[in-house]
Amino acid sequence: MTEPAPTEHDTRPDAAALPLDVHVVTHTHWDREWYHPAGRFRQRLVALVDELLDAPDGSFLLDGQAVVLADYLDVRPERREALAAALREGALEAGPWYVLADELIPSGEALVRNLLAGRRALREFGAEPPPVLYCPDSFGHPAALPAIARGFGLDAAVLWRGYGGPRWPDGDAARWSAPGGERVLLLHLPRDGYELGSNLPASDAEAGRRWRAMRAELAPRARLGAVLVQNGADHHARQTAHAAAIAALARVAAPDRVVRSSLRDYARTAAERAGSAALPEVRGELRDSYGYTWTLQGTFASRAAQKRRNALVERALLRESEPWAALAIASPATASEATAMPFAALLRAAWRTLLLCHPHDTLCGCSADEVARAMDARLDDALSQARGVADNALLAVIGHDAVRARRWRDAWSRALVVRNAAARPRAGVAEVELLTFLHHVPVGPGSAGAARRSERGRAAPVRTVGDAVPLQILERATRHDRVESPRHYPDDDFVETARAVAWVPDVAGYGTASWLLEERVSHAGLPDDVVPVTSPHENALANGLLELRIERDGAVRVASPALGWSVPSLVSFEDVGDVGDLYTHSPAGKTTTKAWFLGARVVHAGPLRGEIEARWRLRVPARRGATGEEGDDVVTPRGGRSAAHVELQITVRLTLDAGAPFVRVRVAGENRARYHRLRVVFATGVNEPRVIADAAFGPVERAPVLVSPEERAVEAPPATAPLHRYVSLYGAERGVTLFSDGLAEYEAGEDGRVAVTLLRAVGELSRAHLPERPGHAGWPLPTPLAQSLGAFEACFALFPHGTFGDDAMALVERTADDVLLPLAGETLRSALALPRPTLGIELEGDGLSFSSAKSGEDEPWIVLRCVNVTERAVQGRWRLGFDVADARHARLDETPLGPLVVERSREIPFDSGPRAIVTVLVRPRR
């Protein structure tokens, strides 16, 4: 954030008295699902759009999202042409988003997919969205949003929450810069947001009173002399006699000029005036509108398990399905006609399913239980689609013909296929599943009398032709396994599974390597420079890089001798009563930090993986007080949790792998209490840290938001913040990074502790009398599912490293892939030949973080994207496993820009500025 530069309006003493150009935009703000499920709100949407099509009168903004168009046509398919005509003519406006998503929880790539889907939906009607990034109610905005907007040719952003108040420049316009330098015109809504002009009066007397109150809010902030007044509100149809009401406003507002406008026209006027205006410059995340309007930063742990599942599905689509599908499309000769699939279309369908989980009331968890159940079903569906695309694409990449294999059942051999979902070569520990045939399972008519095939075997270690691959079996089980073909019934067998880890040599970036499974014992050892995992003492592990030990009192000691770093007690827990709602945490009672240690045991002692399981018990109040009026529980003065207690048992598995510089931590348990917040706390040993957190398209630095007592009385800022893949704490001597596989809320303390919220158990959508936020943030509604009863789980990793700087930032990004996307392998039971190794996509350049590889919106492009996480310019290079006919720089929306040189048919050098997002289009040579 920087100090505002003066503007013409600022320097005139009578700036507020200057005539205004008032753009009245009739609109609705449409939460697709919230206190009602989507189907119930859709009934109101159909009536609203029917009226707009039957009696058009000026422009009407259907919010900033295109999904409402599909929702309408689900019920009214016969009105498609009328809807398309209204969009083309400007009688209706929608987009540019597909859904109005929360912007701080999804990844930057998910926000890009959202905008791509929105543009695609509008173009199906022959229309284009307004040229403005419209974000009327998001609970804050990422620092990279200006880059995302400019990447879609949008030069302005309209927003409300997260900006405004004493820590920002005055006024309704500013220039907002992304970390990479991209700028947009920030157009800020008034304190009442998109409802300022709702239900305008039609009589001159009432209109005059209303305008005087509105002008008192608008005029002092009007840096451009053109202001936006939105005539509408949540789920509101066009107001009765709206034309007469706007005409009355125009009469009483003179000499201010009132016009019926559209979002497109307002944005155009604002941009023209901003061209010659000296506007203040701002940078960074917008997560502070305290003293201006509610910021609502307390939703990051509401329905926490759903946010974690969303992150897992996003990662599956972005880092598995899309890249493997792109490689399958780039090399179609490797796949037979039987395995060729419309991968690009299938991925768009999977993304649409996931994007329906991203509206802010849905993903933030501040919605009815019916909405949460629908989100669970969508996440299941999206993950199933993601896995299906990845599985089929991988078969195409390695050249496996499922139809031919199904016809030659007796020629099958078992192959372990290891894939590398990172854009650089990697060797080391791979997590693999080995399958051994036990017997065939007949299915269908006559199966009851069919004899079982009695062949049996045992899980076999992996062996190459020549040197064997070291293997460690972790656990065995049995299950059914189906070998499928698009032209046959599945072949179902009962198999033994062995979950194992193997040490594999280099696998190319987004490449594969395969080994035949043979029934002989491997005596191979690790490379000479890799220390195996050992268990030198009771409940202790070491791998030459890290030492881990659980003491008799339960303290988890972790040390890195090379770094001179250690913490005497890595993991602890805290629990506190929560009398808040799904928007805001409100602590009640004493914080419970006492956890009884129940013991530990070494589960795996190496040599590839060591693992210790430890158990604790917390005794916490079962719930808060009795139920009072309007469904609110009676709360005694800030300490009133119930006398009844329940026990929470928590299991922690701490894992060290050979060659790994980080310790994995898996936390699992069962929640049996209501109205509380449970957190796991990690000690880093870094006091008074500089906090750098992962965010959309690159990390950001964060510090606590400090507000005045007057601001705090309206809404208190929480000490927590949104968590993407990691948060790093840096001190004078070292840094420590905590990785998370999907939980979305952390708090970093001055003592170097990082608390991650495992769950918040609350029972109401909104409560009115919270000290942290007086007043209802939503409609009061019981939400028993939000008590989060039952099993919970999360996975983390702790990584000690060097001090803050570009090298550390690059190292953390590389390690994030090793933590969240380890080498992985599965058994291909129907291999007719051992698949050859493949090279897919590799990215070179220190500080360049792989972001995306996907098929283009307009084939035949393959889209490659990376992010420079450093503050220096970097020369990068893409190395590909296929020949390239053409390469171009591109915007985020895949609009081709200038050409790039292709070297040796498969290499594309490029330059990246500091903190830049670089998109490259490549056309495979057919």
Side-chain angles (χ1 to χ4, degrees):
M1 195 188 323
T2 59
E3 291 298 319
T7 70
E8 180 182 5
H9 299 293
D10 295 325
T11 57
R12 296 182 182 180
D14 59 345
L18 295 175
L20 299 175
D21 285 335
V22 183
H23 289 251
V24 179
V25 175
T26 305
H27 81 114
T28 188
H29 176 61
W30 202 263
D31 296 298
R32 186 174 186 268
E33 50 190 7
W34 182 19
Y35 60 92
H36 287 312
R40 178 67 183 91
F41 275 134
R42 185 177 61 184
Q43 294 171 343
R44 292 170 60 174
L45 175 70
V46 169
L48 181 155
V49 178
D50 274 349
E51 179 184 5
L52 296 172
L53 295 180
D54 291 339
D57 187 1
S59 179
F60 189 94
L61 174 62
L62 284 172
D63 222 350
Q65 55 188 332
V67 69
V68 293
L69 307 175
D71 287 341
Y72 174 74
L73 290 178
D74 281 346
V75 179
R76 292 288 205 187
E78 71 278 7
R79 306 210 69 176
R80 181 179 181 84
E81 288 307 314
L83 183 65
L87 290 165
R88 290 193 298 267
E89 296 163 3
L92 294 179
E93 290 185 313
W97 300 103
Y98 183 66
V99 298
L100 283 179
D102 178 82
E103 296 171 16
L104 293 172
I105 298 172
S107 66
E109 290 290 349
L111 295 176
V112 168
R113 300 304 179 279
N114 193 339
L115 287 167
L116 288 172
R119 185 181 65 179
R120 190 184 313 120
L122 266 295
R123 288 181 176 177
E124 288 174 358
F125 295 98
E128 294 288 333
V132 56
L133 197 67
Y134 184 64
C135 313
D137 198 25
S138 304
F139 301 165
H141 311 276
L145 201 64
I148 295 173
R150 291 299 300 271
F152 279 78
L154 307 174
D155 296 329
V158 172
L159 52 88
W160 179 31
R161 301 188 195 277
Y163 182 82
R167 284 161 299 283
W168 297 104
D170 292 333
D172 62 357
R175 301 194 192 280
W176 180 22
S177 297
E182 301 90 344
R183 295 199 307 175
V184 294
L185 173 62
L186 187 160
L187 301 170
H188 191 219
L189 297 180
R191 292 174 187 271
D192 287 341
Y194 51 80
E195 297 187 1
L196 180 71
S198 62
N199 298 312
L200 293 172
S203 74
D204 284 10
E206 293 180 2
R209 287 190 291 271
R210 179 74 176 274
W211 174 240
R212 286 190 291 273
M214 292 167 61
R215 195 182 198 284
E217 168 72 11
L218 294 169
R221 304 181 68 242
R223 287 189 172 272
L224 303 174
V227 297
L228 174 64
V229 171
Q230 292 177 272
N231 173 224
D234 291 7
H235 304 107
H236 281 35
R238 185 174 57 196
Q239 80 163 76
T240 303
H242 79 288
I246 297 173
L249 185 68
R251 288 193 296 271
V252 302
D256 297 314
R257 298 174 290 275
V258 174
V259 295
R260 295 174 61 184
S261 189
S262 64
L263 184 61
R264 183 183 302 273
D265 288 344
Y266 166 68
R268 182 184 300 116
T269 300
E272 291 172 354
R273 297 193 176 196
S276 59
L279 296 178
E281 301 274 351
V282 297
R283 296 178 63 88
E285 294 180 311
L286 307 186
R287 295 179 49 240
D288 173 9
S289 51
Y290 300 98
Y292 187 81
T293 191
W294 281 343
T295 310
L296 301 178
Q297 292 291 290
T299 65
F300 300 118
S302 299
R303 306 187 193 268
Q306 287 192 322
K307 294 176 174 63
R308 178 173 180 253
R309 290 192 65 216
N310 170 77
L312 296 175
V313 178
E314 270 194 34
R315 193 151 54 244
L317 281 169
L318 288 169
R319 298 303 303 269
E320 296 278 8
S321 306
E322 285 188 335
W324 296 118
L327 290 171
I329 293 170
S331 304
T334 62
S336 70
E337 179 185 354
T339 58
M341 301 186 74
F343 289 118
L346 294 172
L347 282 165
R348 286 194 290 268
W351 269 111
R352 283 196 299 270
T353 304
L354 181 59
L355 289 173
L356 292 179
C357 299
H358 284 191
H360 60 274
D361 291 305
T362 306
L363 186 55
C364 288
C366 46
S367 53
D369 281 352
E370 296 95 326
V371 174
R373 283 193 288 266
M375 179 174 173
D376 280 335
R378 293 187 196 115
L379 290 172
D380 288 343
D381 187 14
L383 183 58
S384 178
Q385 293 181 62
R387 287 173 173 167
V389 168
D391 289 348
N392 285 295
L394 270 167
L395 292 179
V397 167
I398 65 174
H400 179 76
D401 186 334
V403 173
R404 183 167 178 266
R406 186 67 179 81
R407 291 171 178 158
W408 292 88
R409 173 69 175 80
D410 292 339
W412 288 4
S413 60
R414 291 179 299 156
L416 175 69
V417 180
V418 174
R419 67 186 185 278
N420 178 11
R424 70 178 196 276
R426 290 194 294 178
V429 171
E431 298 179 349
V432 302
E433 183 184 50
L434 311 178
L435 302 184
T436 299
F437 174 85
L438 295 180
H439 62 76
H440 180 64
V441 180
V443 176
S447 61
R452 297 195 323 180
R453 294 174 63 173
S454 59
E455 304 167 50
R456 291 183 174 272
R458 59 182 177 83
V462 183
R463 188 179 188 281
T464 61
V465 177
D467 297 330
V469 171
L471 181 70
Q472 179 185 343
I473 302 295
L474 303 178
E475 61 183 18
R476 299 180 188 271
T478 56
R479 65 173 173 85
H480 289 268
D481 181 65
R482 290 188 303 274
V483 175
E484 303 210 35
S485 157
R487 303 187 189 279
H488 302 84
Y489 281 118
D491 179 282
D492 191 282
D493 297 321
F494 198 61
V495 300
E496 181 184 77
T497 68
R499 188 173 68 87
V501 287
W503 185 276
V504 300
D506 266 348
V507 181
Y510 273 101
T512 63
S514 302
W515 294 267
L516 289 176
L517 297 180
E518 299 182 6
E519 295 186 5
R520 66 177 70 186
V521 176
S522 169
H523 297 288
L526 289 169
D528 293 339
D529 59 344
V530 177
V531 177
V533 179
T534 61
S535 182
H537 309 287
E538 181 184 9
N539 295 331
L541 298 170
N543 70 350
L545 298 172
L546 294 174
E547 298 173 352
L548 169 66
R549 182 168 182 166
I550 300 184
E551 307 292 353
R552 293 184 180 276
D553 62 356
V556 180
R557 184 183 183 278
V558 182
S560 170
L563 291 174
W565 168 86
S566 67
V567 291
S569 186
L570 174 68
V571 179
S572 60
F573 306 94
E574 65 168 46
D575 187 88
V576 67
D578 194 336
V579 296
D581 55 24
L582 286 169
Y583 294 93
T584 302
H585 167 61
S586 185
K590 295 181 180 179
T591 299
T592 299
T593 57
K594 173 63 177 176
W596 283 267
F597 179 55
L598 302 180
R601 65 186 180 98
V602 174
V603 180
H604 304 295
L608 299 181
R609 172 163 291 180
E611 191 166 81
I612 303 177
E613 179 183 275
R615 294 178 297 113
W616 283 268
R617 181 182 72 237
L618 277 73
R619 190 167 181 268
V620 304
R623 57 168 296 131
R624 55 182 176 164
T627 300
E629 296 180 0
E630 298 182 357
D632 282 345
D633 287 353
V634 174
V635 182
T636 56
R638 303 311 296 164
R641 300 182 78 186
S642 65
H645 284 67
V646 296
E647 291 185 351
L648 305 180
Q649 290 202 10
I650 300 176
T651 300
V652 176
R653 285 205 168 194
L654 301 123
T655 303
L656 276 184
D657 283 348
F662 51 83
V663 55
R664 295 183 184 274
V665 184
R666 175 183 173 270
V667 181
E670 182 176 358
N671 179 38
R672 301 174 57 211
R674 294 172 170 83
Y675 299 105
H676 70 120
R677 182 182 72 178
L678 176 64
R679 304 202 292 185
V680 57
V681 183
F682 296 92
T684 68
V686 180
N687 293 323
E688 299 181 356
R690 183 176 184 179
V691 179
I692 308 293
D694 185 36
F697 289 130
V700 296
E701 184 167 3
R702 292 199 178 120
V705 177
L706 304 177
V707 303
S708 68
E710 294 77 16
E711 293 168 309
R712 181 172 290 275
V714 177
E715 185 189 19
T720 53
L723 175 60
H724 278 216
R725 297 171 300 158
Y726 63 81
V727 56
S728 300
L729 276 62
Y730 290 95
E733 297 181 353
R734 66 186 55 86
V736 177
T737 295
L738 178 70
F739 297 96
S740 168
D741 75 341
L743 289 180
E745 180 180 270
Y746 77 91
E747 178 182 346
E750 285 294 297
D751 59 358
R753 301 197 318 156
V754 180
V756 180
T757 308
L758 294 169
L759 60 93
R760 283 187 63 227
V762 295
E764 293 84 30
L765 173 58
S766 177
R767 300 186 68 239
H769 306 298
L770 304 180
E772 295 79 10
R773 194 212 68 231
H776 275 299
W779 304 104
L781 188 73
T783 56
L785 278 183
Q787 295 287 5
S788 304
L789 298 174
F792 61 86
E793 181 182 36
C795 296
F796 307 94
L798 198 81
F799 172 45
H801 48 80
T803 56
F804 178 79
D806 285 340
D807 292 341
M809 302 291 282
L811 178 61
V812 168
E813 283 287 333
R814 288 170 59 91
T815 307
D817 279 356
D818 297 335
V819 170
L820 299 173
L821 296 157
L823 290 165
E826 296 178 350
T827 300
L828 178 64
R829 293 198 301 119
S830 58
L832 299 179
L834 182 67
R836 295 180 178 179
T838 65
L839 161 65
I841 302 166
E842 291 184 351
L843 172 65
E844 298 177 357
D846 291 338
L848 297 182
S849 175
F850 176 85
S851 186
S852 176
K854 63 182 287 288
S855 55
E857 293 292 290
D858 299 315
E859 292 188 39
W861 295 113
I862 301 297
V863 183
L864 305 174
R865 185 153 43 247
C866 64
V867 178
N868 183 356
V869 299
T870 75
E871 299 295 338
R872 64 192 178 203
V874 175
Q875 290 185 333
R877 179 178 296 267
W878 291 104
R879 296 180 62 246
L880 306 175
F882 53 87
D883 290 339
V884 175
D886 189 13
R888 307 281 184 90
H889 273 300
R891 299 191 319 195
L892 279 173
D893 67 354
E894 303 176 18
T895 299
L897 300 174
L900 288 167
V901 173
V902 179
E903 297 180 350
R904 291 181 285 278
S905 300
R906 296 188 171 192
E907 298 184 13
I908 305 163
F910 63 91
D911 294 325
S912 168
R915 299 302 307 271
I917 307 167
V918 181
T919 303
V920 172
L921 303 182
V922 298
R923 189 192 305 274
R925 189 181 301 279
R926 303 300 183 187

